[in-house]
Amino acid sequence: MAKTLNIGMAGAGLSCAVIARELAEAGHRITVLEKRLHVAGNCHTERDPRSGVLVHVYGPHIFHTDDEEVWNLVNRYVTFRPYVNRVKATTGGRVFSLPINLLTINQFFGKTFSPSEARAFIESRADRSITEPKSFEEQALRFIGPELYEAFFKGYTLKQWEVDPKRLPASILKRLPVRFNYDDNYFFHRFQGMPEEGYTPLVQRLLDHPNITVHLGEGLAAADVARFDHVYWSGPLDGYYGFDEGRLPYRTLDFERFEGEGDIQGCAVMNYTDASVPYTRITEHKHFAPWESHERSVCYREFSRHCGPEDIPYYPVHLTEGDALLQRYQARARNERGVTFVGRLGTYRYMDMDVTIRAALDVARAALAG
Ligand SMILES: Cc1cc2nc3c(=O)[nH]c(=O)nc-3n(C[C@H](O)[C@H](O)[C@H](O)COP(=O)(O)OP(=O)(O)OC[C@H]3O[C@@H](n4cnc5c(N)ncnc54)[C@H](O)[C@@H]3O)c2cc1C
């Protein structure tokens, strides 16, 4: 990219913000169109005017990564505070620690196992006849056995995806390992934290560059692409094509907000893993900023359901039987010349924020090198 290009961005989430910044610093002119009235996409945070609590508007976001360059990048723009994600789960009328660790195992089975005893016990419960787990259910039964699977995963997964766990790929469970010690840090990564003032200032500062213009409340359509030398599209892949092959399946979330005084549940995230409870978890937002103090509290009760045309797409649904529809859209996307599809919606992948930033950096650098 030698000459100055006129570049369009569909979306002002992390993906396009990172690409926009990289290309703007290289001298290109960037126009960002964002159909919402705020930047930061699904990471958007805002202060509740009544309580002062910083609310994760589209669900809880914890930054964690092993990628030192990405960690340094986000820390250049905003101050991160140390934060360790510790999740609890309510099942069968009792509260446990997640991810499943030695405390969970000992409390659940009423034991006082050492790490090696717990490992041997769980192995005795696991279904060793499953040598190559193909589905989520097989993966769970092979690693943790039926009791822990039923209590912590089966009902939760049914609520989250509304499909039989036999039709979900085994890879989903890799995000939730079992630990044979008392470590209840949900993530394994070296770097973990929360931006002091939330994620929206991070994205605002990424976009704060003389070569970047942001238009809020304006969508970019496929028909607008010709106005630019190149477009980065972080909207839905199928949306670019007017859904003409059909809609890629997504899950959406409904957040039922409630407020109260003081500390409502005592932790940031409480999962409800029983199928009989209709919601998947309750998030109490002020616990994501433990360095602040607020008298009142704001909670979200989170429900997962099929994503309809008017809903916000949250999680792409990948099933064991394959993604033929996705492959058709991807084949068309590969043949596009003036558009690069990026981000969680443009590539139809679940991507954590650090993965999103890494992918965006790679895309921008490849463009600059090419
Ligand atoms: C419930 C939930 C919890 C999560 N929790 C975590 C977490 O704890 N830690 C973590 O690291 N990651 C988490 N993530 C992932 C994180 O949200 C993503 O990594 C991040 O949002 C991806 O950024 P993006 O820019 O690709 O997409 P988005 O944030 O979705 O941004 C895309 C933007 O494009 C806009 N847009 C779409 N189409 C158009 C168009 N045609 N024209 C103009 N604008 C358009 C949208 O309005 C949106 O603002 C979570 C995701 C979800 C769904």
Side-chain angles (χ1 to χ4, degrees):
M1 276 201 210
K3 67 173 180 110
T4 298
L5 296 181
N6 180 22
I7 290 172
M9 301 272 166
L14 270 178
S15 294
C16 282
V18 169
I19 298 169
R21 183 68 186 214
E22 291 284 306
L23 300 186
E25 285 183 356
H28 299 293
R29 275 194 306 276
I30 321 293
T31 306
V32 179
L33 291 129
E34 168 54 61
K35 60 184 181 189
R36 290 173 175 165
L37 295 175
H38 59 76
V39 301
N42 272 21
C43 311
H44 174 55
T45 43
E46 65 187 26
R47 283 212 182 267
D48 171 51
R50 184 158 173 227
S51 63
V53 170
L54 193 60
V55 174
H56 295 216
V57 177
Y58 301 94
H61 279 70
I62 298 104
F63 201 96
H64 54 98
T65 189
D66 269 337
D67 190 327
E68 196 160 359
E69 190 191 1
V70 167
W71 181 242
N72 290 339
L73 183 145
V74 294
N75 278 273
R76 260 205 316 279
Y77 290 96
V78 290
T79 302
F80 269 73
R81 292 269 198 158
Y83 183 85
V84 176
N85 195 29
R86 300 184 199 282
V87 177
K88 303 286 176 277
T90 297
T91 181
R94 296 162 69 200
V95 175
F96 296 95
S97 156
L98 283 185
I100 295 173
N101 61 67
L102 196 46
L103 185 62
T104 326
I105 295 167
N106 277 330
Q107 289 185 334
F108 187 82
F109 291 104
K111 302 288 185 189
T112 55
F113 287 138
S114 68
S116 57
E117 287 167 343
R119 192 182 291 273
F121 176 77
I122 294 300
E123 271 170 24
S124 77
R125 308 301 312 139
D127 186 343
R128 295 276 132 198
S129 70
I130 304 168
T131 48
E132 274 185 42
K134 288 190 183 53
S135 68
F136 171 85
E137 180 163 287
E138 286 183 356
Q139 179 90 340
L141 291 174
R142 179 169 185 271
F143 283 114
I144 56 174
E147 297 89 350
L148 293 174
Y149 169 63
E150 300 271 337
F152 294 105
F153 294 119
K154 192 174 180 184
Y156 188 85
T157 305
L158 274 167
K159 290 190 288 189
Q160 180 80 349
W161 299 102
E162 235 177 305
V163 290
D164 188 325
K166 291 185 185 67
R167 289 178 64 208
L168 292 169
S171 54
I172 291 184
L173 196 63
K174 287 189 188 131
R175 294 183 66 213
L176 299 162
V178 177
R179 308 222 177 112
F180 295 107
N181 57 30
Y182 289 98
D183 180 6
D184 63 349
N185 180 350
Y186 202 77
F187 301 116
F188 277 117
H189 289 143
R190 267 190 302 160
F191 309 107
Q192 189 173 173
M194 280 288 183
E196 201 169 46
E197 284 298 322
Y199 296 95
T200 301
L202 165 65
V203 176
Q204 281 165 341
R205 284 175 208 169
L206 278 161
L207 293 169
D208 183 12
H209 187 282
N211 287 353
I212 303 177
T213 313
V214 180
H215 299 270
L216 295 180
E218 285 183 43
L220 191 101
D224 302 325
V225 167
R227 284 171 31 207
F228 299 95
D229 293 315
H230 197 87
V231 162
Y232 292 87
W233 181 274
S234 72
L237 173 61
D238 51 356
Y240 181 83
Y241 294 104
F243 310 98
D244 61 3
E245 308 248 6
R247 283 184 181 266
L248 291 168
Y250 273 100
R251 301 294 290 171
T252 192
L253 300 175
D254 295 320
F255 298 108
E256 192 179 278
R257 182 193 163 107
F258 62 98
E259 292 182 22
E261 291 294 324
D263 191 355
I264 293 174
Q265 66 176 7
C267 63
V269 181
M270 175 70 76
N271 284 5
Y272 288 82
T273 59
D274 295 339
S276 55
V277 177
Y279 42 91
T280 53
R281 58 181 175 178
I282 295 178
T283 302
E284 186 167 4
H285 292 260
K286 71 180 183 184
H287 294 303
F288 290 123
W291 55 90
E292 296 184 359
S293 79
H294 303 281
E295 282 172 15
R296 289 187 64 76
S297 199
V298 178
C299 290
Y300 274 8
R301 211 175 266 123
E302 187 172 320
F303 299 80
S304 170
R305 65 177 168 80
H306 171 74
C307 182
E310 304 306 320
D311 299 319
I312 300 173
Y314 278 87
Y315 296 110
V317 182
H318 294 283
L319 300 176
T320 44
E321 56 253 38
D323 292 317
L325 181 59
L326 174 62
Q327 282 164 17
R328 286 206 293 281
Y329 281 122
Q330 284 173 331
R332 290 167 75 179
R334 275 195 294 276
N335 288 327
E336 297 289 345
R337 284 296 154 260
V339 189
T340 305
F341 295 88
V342 297
R344 60 178 202 99
L345 301 169
T347 64
Y348 195 67
R349 282 191 288 161
Y350 176 84
M351 295 158 91
D352 273 330
M353 291 180 281
D354 62 325
V355 177
T356 300
I357 294 172
R358 165 54 55 198
L361 284 175
D362 290 348
V363 164
R365 286 171 189 173
L368 291 172

